[in-house]
Amino acid sequence: MTEKNFPLDEKALREVIKKYPTPFHLYDEKKIRENFRRLRDTFSWAAEFREYFAVKALPNPHIVKILAADGAGTDCSSLAELMISEMANVTGEKIMLTSNDTPANEFQKALELGAIINLDDITHIEYLEKNAGLPKVLSFRYNPADIMNNGNDIIGKPAEAKYGLTRQQIFDAYQIAKNKGVKRFGLHTMIASNERETETFLYTAQIMFELAVEIKNRIGINLEFVNLGGGFGIPYRPEENPVDYKAIGAGICELYKKILVPNGLEKIRIATESGRAITGDAGWLVSTVIHEKNTYKNYIGLDSCMANLMRPALYGAYHHITILGKENFDCDKIYDVTGSLCENNDKFAINRKLPKIDIGDILIIHDTGAHGHAMGFNYNGKLRSAELLLRENGEIELIRRAETLDDYFATLI
């Protein structure tokens, strides 16, 4: 079981709302730091371990600065994310650009910053060389195809995912890059998202370590690092259990010693690229009830919509909901909790058991710190909300203001 808490009491939150009207996302700095340090400690046995924070999860330089202060790098997949890293003074090989149908200007910016380039396709070698030049360090993303036969709702089956190189392409890619003069290499994969089963992470490490040995034997390349990706999940539902980081760390350490060390690869660094595991449960969407509708179902309408949190509509994802001041009330009503978009899937919850809700109540939607505000959009002309940061000293800081209509119309000519 996982207890769902909010870091402010009712009085404190109502004071925040007086200054910053709902809706807004609130993040907890202390919780973010704790989550990062837990992951870092999981791999404390691995020399020079590095976590490349997945900027896409919460693309805000204030958050990246917090994590960089504890030693995190950044995993980027766009020009904006590279620039956020730069704004947070994260540069050089603390950045990894993971290619995904990447345009030339993103490769160029990554090389300007000295980032590690992680290519997603064998054809990108020629494209990168032609449009930006080859980097000092080159990595390739491996798609193992059959590691998870059923996949999951977010990435899907690896064999059907658009990401990564096939097994044969991996060997060909390293040989091509080596022939072109690249001397430093890494290996990467990312095959699951929001995964909580220990066995998935251990199996991932096993196939990656075995592949590293085969690359050495076939191509003569001693990899500098193996990036095991992210995918560490969080318990969105109260009845779910969290990831067993202790078991994962011990299991991967054992595989490292069993597979890499006997083959002369004891200097390979371990890396990960987590987002959700660090910021996911450290964020909340705070919203106000503005309508109640009773037709064939009972609907509660909020001043937020899927422009503020897309995951329930996109993945059917569950996000726990509590009512400010009614946290201990009986959940004896059933509601669909909705937003105001002209789309029927604009729902935060469907047939959810909740306490009786009244207009003006404050709803707290939990676990929105990753892929929440970040996935916002402007359909129907809806504006994205503010982002607030609860500092460790208890102060509330505005780290992104809410969008205005002037912002929305600014690009019109």
Side-chain angles (χ1 to χ4, degrees):
M1 294 291 292
T2 302
E3 193 171 355
K4 296 295 181 181
N5 297 313
F6 185 70
L8 299 176
D9 61 25
E10 182 175 359
K11 180 180 178 181
L13 180 56
R14 291 195 182 278
E15 287 300 313
V16 172
I17 292 172
K18 288 180 182 178
K19 186 174 183 180
Y20 302 109
T22 61
F24 56 75
H25 286 267
L26 176 71
Y27 311 120
D28 185 347
E29 178 184 11
K30 181 180 179 182
K31 180 66 172 173
I32 290 172
R33 291 187 186 276
E34 289 174 350
N35 287 345
F36 170 74
R37 291 167 182 170
R38 176 189 60 198
L39 182 61
R40 186 183 62 189
D41 292 346
T42 297
F43 295 95
S44 59
W45 54 268
E48 299 184 66
F49 166 77
R50 173 158 293 149
E51 158 62 20
Y52 294 93
F53 172 64
V55 179
K56 63 179 175 288
L58 210 175
N60 192 302
H62 295 271
I63 303 300
V64 175
K65 283 182 180 180
I66 289 171
L67 295 168
D70 272 352
T74 58
D75 171 73
C76 301
S77 56
S78 72
L79 181 58
E81 291 172 10
L82 289 168
M83 294 176 70
I84 286 171
S85 300
E86 187 177 25
M87 292 167 66
N89 297 317
V90 177
T91 58
E93 293 181 15
K94 287 188 175 182
I95 301 174
M96 177 174 282
L97 175 72
T98 296
S99 171
N100 178 17
D101 196 21
T102 303
N105 64 336
E106 295 181 7
F107 281 132
Q108 292 161 2
K109 183 63 177 180
L111 288 178
E112 174 191 323
L113 294 174
I116 295 173
I117 305 294
N118 181 37
L119 294 182
D120 183 63
D121 186 68
I122 192 169
T123 65
H124 292 180
I125 302 172
E126 181 180 353
Y127 182 87
L128 174 62
E129 183 179 31
K130 177 181 177 181
N131 291 282
L134 294 177
K136 294 180 180 179
V137 188
L138 196 58
S139 175
F140 293 100
R141 178 172 182 166
Y142 176 49
N143 184 330
D146 61 351
I147 186 171
M148 294 171 61
N149 291 329
N150 295 323
N152 63 33
D153 291 338
I154 299 176
I155 290 184
K157 296 180 181 179
E160 297 178 3
K162 67 174 183 174
Y163 309 109
L165 286 74
T166 68
R167 180 174 177 82
Q168 185 55 53
Q169 287 174 341
I170 278 285
F171 297 112
D172 293 342
Y174 282 107
Q175 188 65 66
I176 291 170
K178 181 181 179 182
N179 292 345
K180 288 180 176 292
V182 179
K183 300 185 183 302
R184 300 173 57 201
F185 293 96
L187 176 64
H188 169 277
T189 196
M190 176 73 179
I191 52 85
S193 184
N194 195 33
E195 177 63 54
R196 291 180 294 112
E197 296 297 326
T198 299
E199 291 73 17
T200 298
F201 298 104
L202 300 189
Y203 186 37
T204 300
Q206 178 182 335
I207 65 169
M208 292 297 282
F209 293 166
E210 290 174 349
L211 182 57
V213 172
E214 193 165 356
I215 289 169
K216 176 186 177 182
N217 293 337
R218 290 178 58 172
I219 314 297
I221 290 175
N222 287 0
L223 298 173
E224 289 191 11
F225 65 85
V226 172
N227 188 327
L228 299 173
F232 299 104
I234 61 173
Y236 284 97
R237 297 175 181 269
E239 64 270 21
E240 293 175 344
N241 293 317
V243 169
D244 189 344
Y245 286 95
K246 184 176 181 180
I248 290 171
I252 294 178
C253 179
E254 182 179 346
L255 290 168
Y256 187 99
K257 293 176 180 178
K258 178 181 177 181
I259 300 171
L260 295 181
V261 173
N263 285 282
L265 294 174
E266 66 278 357
K267 292 184 178 181
I268 283 183
R269 294 185 287 106
I270 300 298
T272 56
E273 52 171 55
S274 300
R276 190 188 324 268
I278 296 172
T279 60
D281 63 357
W284 300 262
L285 175 59
V286 180
S287 192
T288 300
V289 177
I290 59 173
H291 292 291
E292 180 178 1
K293 177 180 180 178
N294 300 299
T295 53
Y296 301 106
K297 302 183 76 172
N298 298 320
Y299 298 96
I300 293 296
L302 305 184
D303 61 356
S304 58
C305 64
M306 63 187 277
N308 306 110
L309 180 63
M310 187 191 283
R311 295 189 73 255
L314 187 62
Y315 302 123
Y318 177 96
H319 281 264
H320 197 64
I321 296 175
T322 52
I323 319 301
L324 185 66
K326 299 181 179 180
E327 293 85 355
N328 298 317
F329 285 29
D330 290 337
C331 295
D332 54 3
K333 303 295 181 182
I334 297 178
Y335 298 106
D336 281 11
V337 181
T338 72
S340 60
L341 280 189
C342 191
E343 289 291 336
N344 194 47
N345 65 342
D346 183 22
K347 298 179 179 180
F348 297 109
I350 298 174
N351 297 329
R352 184 72 59 87
K353 290 183 178 180
L354 292 166
K356 183 182 184 304
I357 298 174
D358 300 299
I359 292 175
D361 277 349
I362 303 300
L363 264 68
I364 298 170
I365 303 178
H366 294 250
D367 304 316
T368 69
H371 314 289
H373 188 284
M375 297 179 76
F377 60 105
N378 289 127
Y379 180 63
N380 265 175
K382 295 298 181 179
L383 305 175
R384 285 166 288 194
S385 61
E387 293 181 297
L388 309 181
L389 179 63
L390 172 61
R391 288 292 189 180
E392 288 188 294
N393 63 7
E395 294 181 358
I396 299 291
E397 181 179 344
L398 179 68
I399 60 172
R400 188 191 300 272
R401 66 166 174 81
E403 288 182 338
T404 67
L405 284 173
D406 287 341
D407 296 324
Y408 181 76
F409 290 112
T411 55
L412 291 178
I413 298 175

